[in-house]
Amino acid sequence: MFLVDPAEFDLARVDPAATPVGPLAKRAAAEAMTSIGEQLDQLQEILFAEGLGGGRRRVLLVLQGMDTSGKGGTIRHVAGLVNPQGLRIASFKKPTEEESRHDFLWRIRREVPPPGYIGVFDRSHYEDVLVPRVEELVPESEWRDRYRRINAFEHELAEQGVTIVKCFLHISPERQRERLIARLENPVKRWKYDPGDLAVRGKFSLYQAAYSDALRECSTAVAPWYAIPADRKWYRNWAVAQVLLEALRDLAPVYPRPTYDPRVELAKIKERDPLR
Amino acid sequence: MFLVDPAEFDLARVDPAATPVGPLAKRAAAEAMTSIGEQLDQLQEILFAEGLGGGRRRVLLVLQGMDTSGKGGTIRHVAGLVNPQGLRIASFKKPTEEESRHDFLWRIRREVPPPGYIGVFDRSHYEDVLVPRVEELVPESEWRDRYRRINAFEHELAEQGVTIVKCFLHISPERQRERLIARLENPVKRWKYDPGDLAVRGKFSLYQAAYSDALRECSTAVAPWYAIPADRKWYRNWAVAQVLLEALRDLAPVYPRPTYDPRVELAKIKERDPLR
């Protein structure tokens, strides 16, 4: 469910308010989240142990979406379900001067989670097929070529043991309007607002078209895109958590075999404990 | 409470099973943690906003303790109370070859949390006044000089806006024995055990003496040490959370002033919304 089929995907046909599977109301979602949280937490611990034991596998959750689509809220409510010790969260803002001097994947590579970790990208390399296209910063041949380079990069990550899960948080322009107004009206939310947000909002449909293409062009077997209805926060959180849980279940991490003999070690501490 | 007084501190006089203030039982601690968690979460969000708004302040929680003292559990249960997006957790293991070629503070500096963040160090630069001393890897003049360099380093961090809180998780050798046995007997805990742990345990009292000196020599006004009774997990979690909460309260982060006029922006979106 939510999976982007590269053969026929069209974002315009996805309803941001849909609840096609799973809980139908906030309370049911909260119950489901408790159960998902316990499972995620346990699987993450095993993955972490596997990584310490020399395993190379890890997970990368990529979050994209328009302003106010809830990337931050998803991190709080979904990534917040697991032990923070096993998380690596990276936020990608407007590239710095140094970052701009490098290939667009340079800053991304530096933040790929190490083995055993769940990495979360708050925005990502996908910004580089969205902003430059809509703002006409690079020629079409250039941003189109980036689809290919992104697919090659993600394929390379997959070969290194990275399970990639990409979630597009899909909100309607009406819901964005409400949330922008809420940010402005509530003094403790004003820090989340940037005057530039309105200019981007003015290009909502151009961004939707850019997202639609990017999701279709870059939804691959090793790095699928999921289009998550995000008008309802509780549904968005449940859906991303569920997608992440399924990825971890498929990965099926395993505790490493001890490099020592537990019986020998137990005998040592029980029979020859130097402190007794 | 728990504060290490450099004039008279002696670790041998701290009871690892004490509950000198706060909750006296697990259930009361759980209730207190809920309240602390809400406060920590809110203060962290304000600190994060302050950092985005150009503020330089941040918090660094340093955790030290013998094996099984609960550094990992503290991260799970205390750092887990706040939004993971505002956390930076760094674990310092045995230095790598590259790290060993540099000054002992080199790898530490790289992990200092950026403005707006709460950083957590799982072990730290204090390892370098403990292990080399007990294992006799460097002459006494060298590890003694490191106290001075650590104090200078932490003073420098404080001047850059880092609120430093250092917690030593103090467990008894008996409780360590129980926990090591539990790690060996429980197959899903075996990954936490390393055969080298027993050799370190054999030097328990040497490490206690080294900790006692390090805490006394490096508990300063800008970077105090707290000696946390850690034989009871619920008490240890509560105590560290409480110390961290007090540090954030004293810091008293503030939302940044908007760089725009909210009324003007509200008028723009309400009256001239390009998408309506």
Side-chain angles (χ1 to χ4, degrees):
Chain A
M1 188 48 70
F2 313 123
L3 184 65
V4 169
D5 178 349
E8 56 161 34
F9 180 73
D10 179 2
L11 185 58
R13 276 187 265 153
V14 179
D15 176 4
T19 54
V21 289
L24 295 171
K26 199 169 178 174
R27 180 188 297 233
E31 279 171 26
M33 288 297 270
T34 302
S35 162
I36 292 174
E38 284 163 9
Q39 296 172 72
L40 275 180
D41 189 44
Q42 200 188 352
L43 287 163
Q44 187 213 25
E45 176 161 308
I46 305 174
L47 180 64
F48 193 77
E50 185 184 295
L52 277 184
R56 301 292 300 161
R57 299 193 297 172
R58 49 214 125 145
V59 173
L60 173 59
L61 174 65
V62 173
L63 298 176
Q64 284 283 161
M66 301 291 288
D67 290 322
T68 77
S69 62
K71 299 179 290 295
T74 301
I75 292 174
R76 167 186 279 275
H77 294 285
V78 178
L81 294 170
V82 304
N83 187 341
Q85 183 137 39
L87 286 175
R88 286 289 175 99
I89 298 170
S91 292
F92 296 98
K93 304 188 197 302
K94 189 168 180 291
T96 63
E97 209 177 297
E98 186 190 13
E99 287 169 351
S100 298
R101 281 198 300 269
H102 292 84
D103 176 86
F104 76 101
L105 293 171
W106 178 77
R107 63 175 185 160
I108 307 295
R109 289 181 189 275
R110 295 153 59 101
E111 299 288 351
V112 172
Y117 283 79
I118 297 178
V120 183
F121 281 1
D122 176 1
R123 304 187 189 268
S124 67
H125 42 303
Y126 284 92
E127 291 294 310
D128 297 290
V129 290
L130 299 165
V131 181
R133 168 181 171 166
V134 173
E135 307 296 340
E136 300 183 352
L137 304 178
V138 303
E140 176 167 349
S141 58
E142 167 68 17
W143 57 256
R144 276 209 183 278
D145 189 55
R146 289 183 184 174
Y147 294 147
R148 182 187 57 76
R149 289 158 71 195
I150 286 175
N151 287 341
F153 167 63
E154 293 179 351
H155 191 81
E156 179 195 317
L157 291 187
E159 286 188 333
Q160 289 163 16
V162 184
T163 293
I164 306 169
V165 175
K166 299 176 294 193
C167 289
F168 172 66
L169 309 181
H170 186 38
I171 55 161
S172 62
E174 296 75 26
R175 187 52 54 101
Q176 186 188 57
R177 181 173 193 271
E178 289 169 21
R179 291 185 185 169
L180 286 173
I181 289 172
R183 286 184 178 183
L184 286 164
E185 287 183 337
N186 188 340
V188 307
K189 288 187 175 178
R190 283 183 186 146
W191 64 277
K192 296 184 182 184
Y193 179 88
D194 182 280
D197 294 351
L198 280 193
V200 176
R201 173 169 167 78
K203 297 170 181 169
F204 203 97
S205 60
L206 292 173
Y207 273 100
Q208 296 295 292
Y211 267 117
S212 193
D213 287 350
L215 268 59
R216 193 178 54 245
E217 296 285 342
C218 299
S219 189
T220 61
V222 296
W225 266 110
Y226 298 87
I228 306 290
D231 265 8
R232 295 182 171 89
K233 292 177 182 176
W234 56 265
Y235 193 77
R236 172 202 76 204
N237 292 339
W238 170 82
V240 176
Q242 182 64 32
V243 164
L244 181 61
L245 176 59
E246 284 169 17
L248 269 157
R249 274 199 198 132
D250 288 348
L251 196 156
V254 287
Y255 286 107
R257 275 181 65 103
T259 54
Y260 56 86
D261 184 336
R263 287 166 307 178
V264 170
E265 297 299 315
L266 271 171
K268 273 194 220 165
I269 190 166
K270 285 188 171 173
E271 291 154 30
R272 300 193 300 279
D273 184 349
L275 296 191
R276 295 217 119 196
Chain B
M1 190 48 69
F2 312 124
L3 183 65
V4 169
D5 178 349
E8 54 161 36
F9 181 73
D10 179 1
L11 185 58
R13 276 187 264 154
V14 179
D15 176 4
T19 55
V21 289
L24 294 171
K26 200 170 178 174
R27 178 187 297 234
E31 280 172 26
M33 288 297 271
T34 302
S35 161
I36 292 173
E38 285 164 9
Q39 297 173 72
L40 274 180
D41 189 44
Q42 200 189 352
L43 287 164
Q44 187 214 23
E45 177 162 308
I46 305 174
L47 180 65
F48 193 76
E50 184 184 295
L52 277 183
R56 301 292 300 161
R57 298 192 297 172
R58 51 212 120 149
V59 173
L60 173 59
L61 173 65
V62 173
L63 298 176
Q64 285 283 162
M66 300 292 287
D67 289 323
T68 78
S69 62
K71 299 178 291 293
T74 302
I75 291 174
R76 167 186 280 274
H77 294 286
V78 178
L81 294 170
V82 304
N83 186 342
Q85 183 137 39
L87 285 176
R88 287 289 175 97
I89 299 170
S91 292
F92 297 97
K93 303 187 197 305
K94 190 167 178 289
T96 63
E97 208 177 297
E98 186 191 14
E99 288 170 349
S100 297
R101 280 198 300 268
H102 292 83
D103 176 87
F104 75 102
L105 293 171
W106 178 78
R107 64 176 186 160
I108 307 295
R109 290 181 188 275
R110 294 154 60 102
E111 300 289 349
V112 171
Y117 283 79
I118 296 178
V120 183
F121 281 1
D122 175 1
R123 303 188 191 267
S124 66
H125 42 304
Y126 284 91
E127 291 293 310
D128 297 290
V129 289
L130 299 165
V131 180
R133 168 180 170 166
V134 172
E135 306 297 340
E136 300 182 353
L137 304 178
V138 303
E140 176 168 349
S141 59
E142 167 68 17
W143 56 256
R144 278 211 182 274
D145 189 55
R146 289 184 184 173
Y147 294 146
R148 184 186 57 75
R149 289 159 71 194
I150 286 175
N151 287 340
F153 168 63
E154 293 179 351
H155 190 81
E156 180 195 318
L157 291 186
E159 286 187 333
Q160 288 163 15
V162 184
T163 293
I164 306 169
V165 175
K166 300 176 294 193
C167 290
F168 171 67
L169 309 181
H170 186 39
I171 55 160
S172 62
E174 296 75 27
R175 186 51 55 101
Q176 185 187 58
R177 182 173 194 271
E178 289 169 21
R179 292 185 184 169
L180 287 172
I181 290 173
R183 286 183 178 183
L184 286 163
E185 287 182 338
N186 187 341
V188 307
K189 287 188 175 178
R190 283 183 186 144
W191 63 277
K192 297 184 183 184
Y193 179 88
D194 182 281
D197 294 351
L198 279 194
V200 176
R201 173 170 167 77
K203 296 171 182 167
F204 203 97
S205 60
L206 292 173
Y207 273 100
Q208 296 294 293
Y211 267 117
S212 193
D213 287 349
L215 270 59
R216 195 179 51 245
E217 295 285 341
C218 300
S219 188
T220 60
V222 296
W225 267 109
Y226 296 87
I228 307 290
D231 265 9
R232 295 182 171 90
K233 293 176 181 177
W234 56 266
Y235 193 76
R236 171 202 77 203
N237 292 339
W238 171 81
V240 176
Q242 182 64 32
V243 164
L244 181 61
L245 175 59
E246 284 169 18
L248 269 157
R249 274 198 198 132
D250 289 348
L251 198 156
V254 287
Y255 286 108
R257 275 180 66 104
T259 53
Y260 55 86
D261 184 337
R263 286 165 308 176
V264 170
E265 298 298 315
L266 271 171
K268 274 193 218 165
I269 191 165
K270 285 190 172 172
E271 291 153 30
R272 301 192 299 280
D273 185 349
L275 296 190
R276 294 219 119 193

